[in-house]
Amino acid sequence: MLAVVPPPITVRVPSKVNLHLGVGDLRDDGYHDLSTVFQALSLTDDVTVAVAEDPGVEVHGEGADSVPATQDNLAWRAVRALAEHAGLDADDLKVRVVINKGIPVAGGMAGGSADAAAALVAAAALWRLDIGREELTAVAATIGSDVPFVLHGGTALGTGRGERLVPVLTRHTFHWVLAFDRGGLSTPAVYGELDRLRAEGDPPRLGAVEPLLEALASGDPRRLGGLLGNDLQAASVSLRPALRRTLRAGVEAGALAGIVSGSGPTTAFLCEDADAALRVAAELSGAGVCRTVRVAHGPVPGAKVVSDDTAPRPTTPPD
């Protein structure tokens, strides 16, 4: 008799850029209070979860050598967390997680969090769990601060550690050029550097987020460009001084504004429109200030199933 095995589930998940990232003081639990506006971008990872007798993680694509293919991988931790939430045996997961990366590793664009969000959606579909997106969001928040946002996508205001989300109205597709640095930056190291700089009396903190929310609602990229801000940028530049040159080169190439994405070191440049983004990308790629560039747009949806094969597959029984 043939055994019925569910087909692999592939989920596509976006990257993110922080349009506004206000960082509060260090809390007793080791985190900082944040006030941030996320936007999901069209630069994506694909994550496939499949039934397998040889469980584990495979990583391919952008920066794959720097991503752990072990149980420390955030996507694997997400699958395990969902299994525990659903009452399944998390110590006997007969699944394989295959990650195809387009998002830079340790680049400040939530690449690891994106993979975790995708793994949650894929595993829930593979196991045919009766679980809504809000319940999945609660699981996501236990894995990482950015995981809930990339699960939902769009544009959102995040508070707390960034995991408490309120959707933000946008009336425009915004066009970005992303400059990938030649190495990554550790998020804890960047936050630690910010704490050190503040202890020395520098740098100034971002102001209120409301003007940026109004700019998003207006749909005017020029207005938005003048309001982009990131409290972590000074710390990222302190650790990676060459980012000053990258930020300057992007604006000189014609971008409306440039900003370090999250904890960096990826830099994101807002452009007037799609044609302007292509021109800025071409000039920036020849400036020798980064490893490579990508063009992206946002906002885009969050993690979503993209595999079409939903019928169970019969398999030949063992002899």
Side-chain angles (χ1 to χ4, degrees):
M1 186 170 183
L2 296 181
V4 177
V5 176
I9 303 293
T10 299
V11 171
R12 183 161 295 154
V13 63
S15 54
K16 63 83 180 169
V17 64
N18 299 83
L19 311 181
H20 174 105
L21 180 50
V23 180
D25 293 328
L26 184 65
R27 307 187 320 198
D28 291 341
D29 63 1
Y31 291 98
H32 294 73
D33 277 316
L34 302 181
S35 174
T36 185
V37 178
F38 298 105
Q39 184 162 99
L41 301 185
S42 58
L43 183 71
T44 60
D45 282 358
D46 283 356
V47 176
T48 300
V49 179
V51 173
E53 288 301 318
D54 56 338
V57 180
E58 296 176 28
V59 187
H60 308 278
E62 169 70 35
D65 292 344
S66 302
V67 180
T70 67
Q71 293 190 4
D72 291 332
N73 186 285
L74 208 59
W76 183 264
R77 287 163 54 190
V79 173
R80 183 181 177 88
L82 183 62
E84 292 174 346
H85 180 80
L88 305 176
D89 187 352
D91 293 322
D92 188 30
L93 293 175
K94 299 295 187 182
V95 298
R96 192 155 192 84
V97 178
V98 181
I99 301 170
N100 288 286
K101 293 204 64 63
I103 305 171
V105 178
M109 300 194 72
S113 295
D115 297 339
L120 284 175
V121 174
L126 183 75
W127 295 331
R128 303 191 178 194
L129 299 180
D130 184 16
I131 182 170
R133 191 57 67 106
E134 291 308 311
E135 189 176 352
L136 212 55
T137 300
V139 179
T142 69
I143 301 164
S145 300
D146 291 341
V147 182
F149 172 70
V150 285
L151 182 66
H152 288 274
T155 306
L157 172 65
T159 56
R161 293 181 288 112
E163 84 284 9
R164 298 201 299 264
L165 301 172
V166 176
V168 170
L169 175 67
T170 57
R171 299 185 181 278
H172 190 78
T173 296
F174 296 95
H175 298 273
W176 300 86
V177 172
L178 307 168
F180 295 176
D181 201 62
R182 294 179 175 85
L185 276 175
S186 160
T187 297
V190 174
Y191 274 95
E193 179 68 1
L194 178 63
D195 292 336
R196 186 189 70 80
L197 292 172
R198 284 180 170 173
E200 296 177 355
D202 195 46
R205 303 184 186 222
L206 284 182
V209 70
E210 284 77 13
L212 182 133
L213 299 179
E214 293 169 1
L216 282 168
S218 76
D220 183 351
R222 289 186 173 274
R223 183 176 172 188
L224 179 64
L227 295 167
L228 299 179
N230 179 1
D231 275 343
L232 290 178
Q233 182 161 309
S236 299
V237 170
S238 176
L239 295 174
R240 193 69 58 83
L243 291 177
R244 290 191 184 91
R245 185 181 172 207
T246 308
L247 289 163
R248 184 169 59 250
V251 175
E252 290 174 350
L256 298 176
I259 191 171
V260 171
S261 178
S263 57
T266 301
T267 46
F269 297 95
L270 181 63
C271 299
E272 182 78 36
D273 52 32
D275 290 339
L278 290 174
R279 291 192 299 270
V280 169
E283 187 163 339
L284 195 57
S285 65
V289 295
C290 58
R291 175 169 57 86
T292 190
V293 301
R294 295 286 186 272
V295 174
H297 64 271
V300 299
K304 62 179 180 180
V305 175
V306 294
S307 56
D308 295 326
D309 184 3
T310 57
R313 298 175 178 175
T315 60
T316 303
D319 294 334

